[in-house]
Short mmCIF file of all heavy atoms in Angstrom, two decimals:
data_model
loop_
_atom_site.label_atom_id
_atom_site.label_comp_id
_atom_site.label_asym_id
_atom_site.label_seq_id
_atom_site.Cartn_x
_atom_site.Cartn_y
_atom_site.Cartn_z
N ASN A 113 -15.94 30.04 4.31
CA ASN A 113 -15.19 30.41 5.50
C ASN A 113 -14.55 31.79 5.37
O ASN A 113 -14.51 32.55 6.35
CB ASN A 113 -14.12 29.35 5.79
CG ASN A 113 -14.64 28.24 6.66
OD1 ASN A 113 -14.56 28.33 7.88
ND2 ASN A 113 -15.19 27.20 6.05
N PHE A 114 -14.05 32.13 4.20
CA PHE A 114 -13.52 33.48 4.02
C PHE A 114 -14.64 34.51 4.05
O PHE A 114 -14.46 35.62 4.58
CB PHE A 114 -12.74 33.57 2.71
CG PHE A 114 -11.33 33.06 2.80
CD1 PHE A 114 -10.96 31.87 2.21
CD2 PHE A 114 -10.36 33.78 3.49
CE1 PHE A 114 -9.66 31.39 2.30
CE2 PHE A 114 -9.05 33.31 3.59
CZ PHE A 114 -8.70 32.12 2.99
N ALA A 115 -15.80 34.17 3.49
CA ALA A 115 -16.94 35.09 3.53
C ALA A 115 -17.41 35.34 4.95
O ALA A 115 -17.89 36.44 5.27
CB ALA A 115 -18.08 34.54 2.67
N GLN A 116 -17.27 34.35 5.83
CA GLN A 116 -17.67 34.51 7.23
C GLN A 116 -16.83 35.56 7.96
O GLN A 116 -17.23 36.05 9.00
CB GLN A 116 -17.59 33.17 7.95
CG GLN A 116 -18.69 32.20 7.55
CD GLN A 116 -18.52 30.82 8.14
OE1 GLN A 116 -17.44 30.46 8.61
NE2 GLN A 116 -19.58 30.02 8.11
N LEU A 117 -15.68 35.90 7.39
CA LEU A 117 -14.85 36.97 7.96
C LEU A 117 -15.30 38.35 7.49
O LEU A 117 -14.69 39.36 7.86
CB LEU A 117 -13.38 36.76 7.56
CG LEU A 117 -12.69 35.51 8.09
CD1 LEU A 117 -11.26 35.44 7.55
CD2 LEU A 117 -12.67 35.48 9.61
N GLY A 118 -16.34 38.38 6.66
CA GLY A 118 -16.81 39.64 6.11
C GLY A 118 -16.13 40.04 4.83
O GLY A 118 -16.27 41.17 4.36
N LEU A 119 -15.39 39.11 4.22
CA LEU A 119 -14.68 39.38 2.98
C LEU A 119 -15.58 39.14 1.77
O LEU A 119 -16.47 38.30 1.81
CB LEU A 119 -13.44 38.49 2.87
CG LEU A 119 -12.41 38.62 3.99
CD1 LEU A 119 -11.27 37.61 3.79
CD2 LEU A 119 -11.85 40.03 4.07
N LYS A 120 -15.33 39.90 0.70
CA LYS A 120 -16.03 39.66 -0.57
C LYS A 120 -15.30 38.55 -1.30
O LYS A 120 -14.10 38.66 -1.60
CB LYS A 120 -16.03 40.94 -1.41
CG LYS A 120 -16.90 42.05 -0.86
CD LYS A 120 -16.79 43.30 -1.73
CE LYS A 120 -17.24 43.05 -3.15
NZ LYS A 120 -17.14 44.28 -3.99
N VAL A 121 -16.01 37.47 -1.60
CA VAL A 121 -15.39 36.28 -2.17
C VAL A 121 -16.00 35.96 -3.53
O VAL A 121 -17.22 35.95 -3.68
CB VAL A 121 -15.56 35.06 -1.23
CG1 VAL A 121 -14.89 33.83 -1.83
CG2 VAL A 121 -14.97 35.35 0.15
N LEU A 122 -15.12 35.69 -4.50
CA LEU A 122 -15.56 35.21 -5.81
C LEU A 122 -15.06 33.78 -5.96
O LEU A 122 -13.87 33.49 -5.81
CB LEU A 122 -14.98 36.07 -6.93
CG LEU A 122 -15.27 35.56 -8.37
CD1 LEU A 122 -16.77 35.57 -8.66
CD2 LEU A 122 -14.52 36.39 -9.40
N LEU A 123 -15.98 32.88 -6.27
CA LEU A 123 -15.67 31.47 -6.51
C LEU A 123 -15.80 31.20 -8.01
O LEU A 123 -16.86 31.42 -8.59
CB LEU A 123 -16.63 30.59 -5.71
CG LEU A 123 -16.52 29.07 -5.87
CD1 LEU A 123 -15.14 28.57 -5.44
CD2 LEU A 123 -17.62 28.37 -5.05
N ILE A 124 -14.71 30.76 -8.63
CA ILE A 124 -14.71 30.50 -10.07
C ILE A 124 -14.53 29.00 -10.31
O ILE A 124 -13.58 28.40 -9.82
CB ILE A 124 -13.57 31.26 -10.78
CG1 ILE A 124 -13.71 32.77 -10.59
CG2 ILE A 124 -13.54 30.91 -12.27
CD1 ILE A 124 -12.56 33.57 -11.20
N ASP A 125 -15.45 28.42 -11.06
CA ASP A 125 -15.29 27.02 -11.48
C ASP A 125 -14.52 27.04 -12.80
O ASP A 125 -15.07 27.38 -13.84
CB ASP A 125 -16.64 26.34 -11.66
CG ASP A 125 -16.49 24.82 -11.84
OD1 ASP A 125 -15.37 24.38 -12.12
OD2 ASP A 125 -17.50 24.10 -11.69
N ALA A 126 -13.22 26.69 -12.74
CA ALA A 126 -12.37 26.71 -13.92
C ALA A 126 -12.06 25.30 -14.42
O ALA A 126 -11.12 25.12 -15.19
CB ALA A 126 -11.08 27.47 -13.63
N ASP A 127 -12.83 24.32 -13.96
CA ASP A 127 -12.67 22.97 -14.48
C ASP A 127 -13.50 22.86 -15.76
O ASP A 127 -14.67 22.46 -15.72
CB ASP A 127 -13.12 21.94 -13.45
CG ASP A 127 -12.75 20.51 -13.84
OD1 ASP A 127 -12.44 20.30 -15.03
OD2 ASP A 127 -12.78 19.62 -12.97
N LEU A 128 -12.89 23.24 -16.86
CA LEU A 128 -13.60 23.32 -18.14
C LEU A 128 -13.73 21.97 -18.83
O LEU A 128 -14.12 21.91 -20.01
CB LEU A 128 -12.89 24.32 -19.06
CG LEU A 128 -12.84 25.76 -18.57
CD1 LEU A 128 -12.04 26.64 -19.53
CD2 LEU A 128 -14.24 26.33 -18.36
N ARG A 129 -13.42 20.90 -18.10
CA ARG A 129 -13.57 19.55 -18.66
C ARG A 129 -14.63 18.74 -17.92
O ARG A 129 -15.39 18.00 -18.53
CB ARG A 129 -12.22 18.83 -18.61
CG ARG A 129 -11.14 19.55 -19.43
CD ARG A 129 -9.78 18.92 -19.26
NE ARG A 129 -8.73 19.73 -19.83
CZ ARG A 129 -8.27 19.63 -21.08
NH1 ARG A 129 -8.80 18.72 -21.89
NH2 ARG A 129 -7.30 20.41 -21.52
N ASN A 130 -14.66 18.88 -16.61
CA ASN A 130 -15.63 18.12 -15.82
C ASN A 130 -16.11 18.96 -14.63
O ASN A 130 -15.81 18.65 -13.48
CB ASN A 130 -15.00 16.81 -15.32
CG ASN A 130 -16.01 15.92 -14.62
OD1 ASN A 130 -17.20 15.96 -14.90
ND2 ASN A 130 -15.52 15.12 -13.67
N PRO A 131 -16.86 20.02 -14.89
CA PRO A 131 -17.30 20.91 -13.81
C PRO A 131 -18.35 20.26 -12.93
O PRO A 131 -19.11 19.40 -13.37
CB PRO A 131 -17.88 22.11 -14.57
CG PRO A 131 -18.36 21.53 -15.86
CD PRO A 131 -17.37 20.44 -16.21
N SER A 132 -18.40 20.70 -11.67
CA SER A 132 -19.38 20.11 -10.75
C SER A 132 -20.07 21.14 -9.86
O SER A 132 -21.14 20.86 -9.32
CB SER A 132 -18.70 19.06 -9.87
OG SER A 132 -17.68 19.65 -9.08
N LEU A 133 -19.49 22.31 -9.69
CA LEU A 133 -20.06 23.27 -8.73
C LEU A 133 -21.47 23.69 -9.10
O LEU A 133 -22.32 23.86 -8.21
CB LEU A 133 -19.15 24.50 -8.61
CG LEU A 133 -17.89 24.33 -7.76
CD1 LEU A 133 -17.04 25.59 -7.81
CD2 LEU A 133 -18.26 23.99 -6.31
N HIS A 134 -21.76 23.85 -10.39
CA HIS A 134 -23.11 24.28 -10.76
C HIS A 134 -24.14 23.21 -10.40
O HIS A 134 -25.27 23.53 -10.02
CB HIS A 134 -23.19 24.63 -12.24
CG HIS A 134 -23.04 23.46 -13.16
ND1 HIS A 134 -21.81 22.89 -13.46
CD2 HIS A 134 -23.96 22.73 -13.86
CE1 HIS A 134 -21.98 21.88 -14.28
NE2 HIS A 134 -23.27 21.75 -14.54
N ARG A 135 -23.75 21.93 -10.51
CA ARG A 135 -24.67 20.85 -10.12
C ARG A 135 -24.81 20.79 -8.60
O ARG A 135 -25.93 20.65 -8.07
CB ARG A 135 -24.18 19.51 -10.65
CG ARG A 135 -24.27 19.37 -12.16
CD ARG A 135 -24.05 17.93 -12.60
NE ARG A 135 -22.70 17.46 -12.26
CZ ARG A 135 -21.66 17.58 -13.07
NH1 ARG A 135 -21.80 18.16 -14.26
NH2 ARG A 135 -20.47 17.13 -12.70
N THR A 136 -23.71 20.90 -7.90
CA THR A 136 -23.74 20.83 -6.45
C THR A 136 -24.59 21.95 -5.86
O THR A 136 -25.35 21.73 -4.91
CB THR A 136 -22.31 20.92 -5.88
OG1 THR A 136 -21.54 19.82 -6.38
CG2 THR A 136 -22.31 20.88 -4.36
N LEU A 137 -24.48 23.15 -6.44
CA LEU A 137 -25.18 24.31 -5.91
C LEU A 137 -26.48 24.61 -6.65
O LEU A 137 -27.14 25.61 -6.37
CB LEU A 137 -24.27 25.54 -5.98
CG LEU A 137 -22.94 25.41 -5.21
CD1 LEU A 137 -22.08 26.65 -5.43
CD2 LEU A 137 -23.19 25.18 -3.72
N SER A 138 -26.86 23.72 -7.58
CA SER A 138 -28.13 23.85 -8.34
C SER A 138 -28.22 25.20 -9.05
O SER A 138 -29.18 25.96 -8.89
CB SER A 138 -29.33 23.66 -7.41
OG SER A 138 -29.29 22.39 -6.80
N LEU A 139 -27.19 25.50 -9.85
CA LEU A 139 -27.12 26.78 -10.56
C LEU A 139 -27.19 26.56 -12.07
O LEU A 139 -26.77 25.53 -12.59
CB LEU A 139 -25.81 27.50 -10.22
CG LEU A 139 -25.60 27.88 -8.76
CD1 LEU A 139 -24.20 28.41 -8.56
CD2 LEU A 139 -26.63 28.91 -8.31
N ASP A 140 -27.71 27.56 -12.76
CA ASP A 140 -27.74 27.53 -14.22
C ASP A 140 -26.31 27.67 -14.76
O ASP A 140 -25.53 28.48 -14.27
CB ASP A 140 -28.60 28.68 -14.74
CG ASP A 140 -28.54 28.80 -16.26
OD1 ASP A 140 -28.80 27.79 -16.94
OD2 ASP A 140 -28.21 29.89 -16.75
N ASN A 141 -25.96 26.87 -15.76
CA ASN A 141 -24.62 26.90 -16.32
C ASN A 141 -24.64 27.14 -17.82
O ASN A 141 -23.74 26.73 -18.54
CB ASN A 141 -23.88 25.57 -16.01
CG ASN A 141 -22.40 25.66 -16.26
OD1 ASN A 141 -21.77 26.71 -16.03
ND2 ASN A 141 -21.80 24.58 -16.75
N SER A 142 -25.65 27.84 -18.29
CA SER A 142 -25.77 28.08 -19.73
C SER A 142 -24.73 29.08 -20.22
O SER A 142 -24.40 29.10 -21.42
CB SER A 142 -27.17 28.58 -20.07
OG SER A 142 -27.48 29.76 -19.33
N ALA A 143 -24.22 29.92 -19.34
CA ALA A 143 -23.16 30.87 -19.69
C ALA A 143 -22.21 30.99 -18.51
O ALA A 143 -22.61 30.88 -17.35
CB ALA A 143 -23.75 32.23 -20.04
N GLY A 144 -20.92 31.20 -18.83
CA GLY A 144 -19.95 31.29 -17.74
C GLY A 144 -18.56 31.60 -18.25
O GLY A 144 -18.38 32.31 -19.25
N LEU A 145 -17.57 31.04 -17.57
CA LEU A 145 -16.17 31.35 -17.84
C LEU A 145 -15.78 31.12 -19.30
O LEU A 145 -15.06 31.92 -19.89
CB LEU A 145 -15.28 30.51 -16.92
CG LEU A 145 -13.77 30.63 -17.11
CD1 LEU A 145 -13.29 32.06 -16.84
CD2 LEU A 145 -13.04 29.64 -16.19
N SER A 146 -16.23 30.01 -19.87
CA SER A 146 -15.83 29.71 -21.25
C SER A 146 -16.33 30.78 -22.22
O SER A 146 -15.63 31.12 -23.19
CB SER A 146 -16.36 28.33 -21.66
OG SER A 146 -17.78 28.30 -21.64
N ASN A 147 -17.51 31.32 -21.97
CA ASN A 147 -18.04 32.38 -22.83
C ASN A 147 -17.17 33.63 -22.74
O ASN A 147 -16.89 34.29 -23.74
CB ASN A 147 -19.47 32.72 -22.45
CG ASN A 147 -20.40 31.54 -22.54
OD1 ASN A 147 -20.61 30.85 -21.53
ND2 ASN A 147 -20.95 31.27 -23.72
N TYR A 148 -16.75 33.94 -21.51
CA TYR A 148 -15.89 35.11 -21.33
C TYR A 148 -14.54 34.91 -22.02
O TYR A 148 -14.04 35.80 -22.72
CB TYR A 148 -15.67 35.39 -19.84
CG TYR A 148 -14.60 36.43 -19.61
CD1 TYR A 148 -14.88 37.79 -19.71
CD2 TYR A 148 -13.28 36.04 -19.33
CE1 TYR A 148 -13.89 38.74 -19.54
CE2 TYR A 148 -12.29 36.98 -19.14
CZ TYR A 148 -12.59 38.33 -19.26
OH TYR A 148 -11.60 39.26 -19.10
N LEU A 149 -13.93 33.73 -21.83
CA LEU A 149 -12.62 33.47 -22.42
C LEU A 149 -12.67 33.49 -23.95
O LEU A 149 -11.69 33.82 -24.61
CB LEU A 149 -12.08 32.12 -21.93
CG LEU A 149 -11.79 32.03 -20.43
CD1 LEU A 149 -11.31 30.63 -20.07
CD2 LEU A 149 -10.77 33.08 -19.99
N ALA A 150 -13.82 33.13 -24.50
CA ALA A 150 -13.99 33.15 -25.96
C ALA A 150 -14.32 34.54 -26.49
O ALA A 150 -14.43 34.73 -27.71
CB ALA A 150 -15.09 32.17 -26.36
N GLY A 151 -14.48 35.51 -25.58
CA GLY A 151 -14.76 36.88 -25.98
C GLY A 151 -16.20 37.18 -26.28
O GLY A 151 -16.52 38.22 -26.86
N ALA A 152 -17.11 36.29 -25.85
CA ALA A 152 -18.52 36.46 -26.18
C ALA A 152 -19.27 37.35 -25.21
O ALA A 152 -20.32 37.91 -25.56
CB ALA A 152 -19.20 35.09 -26.27
N VAL A 153 -18.79 37.46 -23.96
CA VAL A 153 -19.49 38.24 -22.94
C VAL A 153 -18.46 38.97 -22.08
O VAL A 153 -17.27 38.64 -22.08
CB VAL A 153 -20.36 37.33 -22.03
CG1 VAL A 153 -21.47 36.67 -22.81
CG2 VAL A 153 -19.50 36.30 -21.31
N ASP A 154 -18.94 39.95 -21.32
CA ASP A 154 -18.12 40.60 -20.31
C ASP A 154 -18.24 39.84 -19.00
O ASP A 154 -19.25 39.16 -18.75
CB ASP A 154 -18.56 42.05 -20.11
CG ASP A 154 -18.29 42.91 -21.33
OD1 ASP A 154 -17.28 42.64 -22.02
OD2 ASP A 154 -19.08 43.84 -21.59
N ALA A 155 -17.25 39.99 -18.14
CA ALA A 155 -17.24 39.25 -16.87
C ALA A 155 -18.46 39.57 -16.01
O ALA A 155 -19.02 38.69 -15.35
CB ALA A 155 -15.95 39.55 -16.10
N GLY A 156 -18.88 40.82 -16.03
CA GLY A 156 -20.01 41.22 -15.20
C GLY A 156 -21.31 40.54 -15.57
O GLY A 156 -22.24 40.47 -14.75
N GLU A 157 -21.39 40.01 -16.79
CA GLU A 157 -22.62 39.37 -17.25
C GLU A 157 -22.76 37.93 -16.76
O GLU A 157 -23.85 37.35 -16.87
CB GLU A 157 -22.66 39.37 -18.79
CG GLU A 157 -22.64 40.75 -19.42
CD GLU A 157 -22.60 40.66 -20.93
OE1 GLU A 157 -23.48 40.00 -21.52
OE2 GLU A 157 -21.67 41.24 -21.54
N ILE A 158 -21.68 37.34 -16.25
CA ILE A 158 -21.72 35.91 -15.93
C ILE A 158 -21.44 35.60 -14.46
O ILE A 158 -21.34 34.44 -14.10
CB ILE A 158 -20.73 35.13 -16.82
CG1 ILE A 158 -19.35 35.76 -16.79
CG2 ILE A 158 -21.26 35.04 -18.25
CD1 ILE A 158 -18.30 34.96 -17.53
N VAL A 159 -21.32 36.62 -13.63
CA VAL A 159 -21.21 36.35 -12.19
C VAL A 159 -22.61 36.35 -11.60
O VAL A 159 -23.49 37.06 -12.07
CB VAL A 159 -20.31 37.38 -11.48
CG1 VAL A 159 -18.87 37.23 -11.91
CG2 VAL A 159 -20.81 38.80 -11.71
N LYS A 160 -22.80 35.53 -10.59
CA LYS A 160 -24.14 35.40 -10.01
C LYS A 160 -24.03 35.04 -8.54
O LYS A 160 -22.96 34.66 -8.05
CB LYS A 160 -24.94 34.33 -10.76
CG LYS A 160 -24.36 32.93 -10.65
CD LYS A 160 -24.99 31.96 -11.63
CE LYS A 160 -24.41 32.12 -12.99
NZ LYS A 160 -24.86 31.10 -13.97
N ASP A 161 -25.16 35.12 -7.86
CA ASP A 161 -25.23 34.71 -6.46
C ASP A 161 -25.09 33.19 -6.39
O ASP A 161 -25.78 32.47 -7.11
CB ASP A 161 -26.56 35.15 -5.85
CG ASP A 161 -26.68 34.80 -4.38
OD1 ASP A 161 -25.67 34.40 -3.77
OD2 ASP A 161 -27.80 34.89 -3.84
N SER A 162 -24.22 32.72 -5.53
CA SER A 162 -23.97 31.28 -5.43
C SER A 162 -24.98 30.55 -4.58
O SER A 162 -25.07 29.32 -4.62
CB SER A 162 -22.57 31.04 -4.85
OG SER A 162 -22.53 31.49 -3.50
N GLY A 163 -25.73 31.31 -3.76
CA GLY A 163 -26.59 30.67 -2.77
C GLY A 163 -25.85 30.43 -1.48
O GLY A 163 -26.46 30.02 -0.48
N LEU A 164 -24.55 30.67 -1.46
CA LEU A 164 -23.73 30.58 -0.25
C LEU A 164 -23.55 31.99 0.29
O LEU A 164 -23.21 32.91 -0.47
CB LEU A 164 -22.37 29.95 -0.56
CG LEU A 164 -22.38 28.61 -1.29
CD1 LEU A 164 -20.96 28.20 -1.67
CD2 LEU A 164 -23.04 27.54 -0.44
N ALA A 165 -23.76 32.19 1.56
CA ALA A 165 -23.73 33.53 2.15
C ALA A 165 -22.41 34.25 1.87
O ALA A 165 -21.34 33.77 2.22
CB ALA A 165 -23.94 33.42 3.67
N GLY A 166 -22.52 35.40 1.19
CA GLY A 166 -21.35 36.23 0.95
C GLY A 166 -20.47 35.80 -0.21
O GLY A 166 -19.40 36.38 -0.42
N VAL A 167 -20.91 34.81 -0.98
CA VAL A 167 -20.06 34.26 -2.05
C VAL A 167 -20.72 34.49 -3.42
O VAL A 167 -21.85 34.09 -3.65
CB VAL A 167 -19.81 32.74 -1.86
CG1 VAL A 167 -18.94 32.20 -2.99
CG2 VAL A 167 -19.16 32.47 -0.50
N THR A 168 -19.98 35.14 -4.30
CA THR A 168 -20.39 35.30 -5.70
C THR A 168 -19.69 34.21 -6.51
O THR A 168 -18.56 33.82 -6.20
CB THR A 168 -19.97 36.69 -6.22
OG1 THR A 168 -20.58 37.69 -5.40
CG2 THR A 168 -20.41 36.89 -7.66
N ILE A 169 -20.34 33.72 -7.55
CA ILE A 169 -19.78 32.60 -8.31
C ILE A 169 -19.77 32.88 -9.81
O ILE A 169 -20.62 33.62 -10.32
CB ILE A 169 -20.54 31.29 -8.02
CG1 ILE A 169 -19.77 30.07 -8.56
CG2 ILE A 169 -21.95 31.33 -8.60
CD1 ILE A 169 -20.34 28.73 -8.11
#
Side-chain angles (χ1 to χ4, degrees):
N113 271 271
F114 278 108
Q116 287 173 343
L117 296 178
L119 301 177
K120 291 177 61 179
V121 181
L122 174 64
L123 177 61
I124 300 177
D125 191 344
D127 190 344
L128 297 177
R129 299 174 190 268
N130 186 28
S132 61
L133 283 176
H134 68 282
R135 290 193 297 270
T136 300
L137 301 176
S138 301
L139 298 173
D140 174 54
N141 194 35
S142 57
L145 176 62
S146 63
N147 302 93
Y148 170 81
L149 296 178
V153 296
D154 293 327
E157 299 177 55
I158 50 174
V159 292
K160 64 192 80 173
D161 182 11
S162 67
L164 307 174
V167 179
T168 302
I169 193 170

